[in-house]
């Protein structure tokens, strides 16, 4: 497969460059400015679903632009996702700013929260992801594909009805068909046969 354009599929470890913008055009993230690609395994659950699904079927060197609604990005803003915690957790030197972002460690790893309010004893935090409720646009460039799940682009076009739904989904995505991870196997086969 050396020399052929490699294509990303479920289980592939990929490296991408990306630029993320809000609906008003303001940039919120850019891997090129950090000088390093983002690497992740497709289907591992590490990435937001819309970003993960967009990379499936891309070929090395390909760039695409997608816009994700909140359901396929960081979810809708949940007004109940707040918590008051003791001010002493932050330490005596911490400078509190309403609307400021703080970083913490929780049972599921690192998280970010916005300071809604504070007083002498407590700090009220908004635990929603800072980008929750927003439509996000990503320009994604597939830089590399690694692993046993990498396939040459022309291999992605052979299929049959006895294949697993996940395999059919990857082939349909490679053909840029209108399917998503919620499509049934029958819907994917129908799209492939059209």
């Amino acid at each position: 497969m050396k020399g052929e354009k490699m294509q990303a599929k479920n289980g592939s470890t990929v490296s991408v460059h990306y630029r993320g913008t809000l609906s008003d055009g303001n940039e919120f993230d850019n891997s090129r400015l950090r000088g390093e690609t983002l690497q992740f395994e497709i289907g591992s659950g590490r990435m937001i679903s819309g970003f993960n699904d967009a990379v499936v079927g891309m070929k090395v060197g390909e760039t695409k632009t997608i816009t994700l609604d909140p359901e396929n990005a960081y979810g809708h803003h949940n007004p109940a996702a707040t918590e008051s915690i003791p001010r002493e957790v932050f330490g005596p030197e911490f400078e509190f700013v309403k609307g400021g972002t703080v970083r913490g460690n929780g049972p599921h790893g690192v998280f970010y929260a916005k300071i809604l309010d504070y007083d002498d004893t407590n700090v009220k935090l908004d635990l929603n992801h800072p980008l929750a409720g927003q439509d996000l646009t990503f320009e994604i460039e597939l830089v590399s594909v690694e692993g046993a799940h990498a396939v040459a682009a022309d291999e992605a076009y052979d299929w049959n009805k006895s294949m697993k739904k996940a395999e059919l989904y990857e082939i349909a995505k490679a053909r840029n068909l209108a399917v998503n991870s919620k499509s049934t196997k029958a819907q994917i086969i129908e799209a492939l046969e059209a």
Side-chain angles (χ1 to χ4, degrees):
M1 282 198 245
K2 232 178 172 119
E4 297 179 46
K5 288 262 188 190
M6 298 305 292
Q7 185 173 43
K9 62 182 259 184
N10 202 32
S12 298
T13 298
V14 296
S15 293
V16 299
H17 268 304
Y18 69 94
R19 176 178 180 262
T21 54
L22 303 171
S23 55
D24 63 7
N26 284 327
E27 185 175 280
F28 65 85
D29 200 1
N30 188 329
S31 64
R32 284 189 174 83
L33 294 180
R34 287 192 308 277
E36 61 184 11
T37 59
L38 170 67
Q39 187 175 40
F40 66 98
E41 181 183 332
I42 297 175
S44 66
R46 182 176 159 223
M47 299 301 298
I48 56 175
S49 63
F51 193 102
N52 180 89
D53 292 351
V55 176
V56 172
M58 287 182 71
K59 299 176 188 99
V60 171
E62 181 181 350
T63 299
K64 75 163 54 166
T65 301
I66 59 165
T67 299
L68 304 177
D69 59 18
E71 286 181 6
N72 291 300
Y74 291 101
H76 293 282
H77 188 270
N78 178 359
T82 62
E83 186 174 338
S84 288
I85 60 171
R87 184 177 175 138
E88 66 220 26
V89 169
F90 292 91
E93 303 299 316
F94 189 85
E95 200 170 314
F96 294 92
V97 177
K98 281 186 186 178
T101 302
V102 295
R103 180 180 176 202
N105 287 309
H108 302 292
V110 175
F111 70 91
Y112 294 90
K114 183 165 52 169
I115 298 173
L116 294 175
D117 203 2
Y118 61 92
D119 59 28
D120 292 339
T121 56
N122 291 311
V123 180
K124 185 173 183 181
L125 298 176
D126 176 352
L127 301 175
N128 285 285
H129 188 282
L131 296 173
Q134 305 233 25
D135 288 342
L136 306 177
T137 298
F138 290 97
E139 179 184 279
I140 305 167
E141 178 192 357
L142 183 60
V143 176
S144 70
V145 179
E146 301 169 11
H149 295 282
V151 294
D154 59 353
E155 290 179 27
Y157 294 94
D158 296 328
W159 68 276
N160 63 60
K161 292 179 182 180
S162 67
M163 295 173 81
K164 293 180 181 174
K165 176 188 168 189
E167 295 170 317
L168 293 168
Y169 171 67
E170 291 165 12
I171 293 167
K173 286 295 285 184
R175 292 183 177 186
N176 295 317
L177 300 176
V179 296
N180 61 48
S181 58
K182 295 176 184 170
S183 299
T184 66
K185 182 176 179 179
Q187 290 170 325
I188 296 168
I189 290 171
E190 184 179 325
L192 287 165
E193 290 178 332

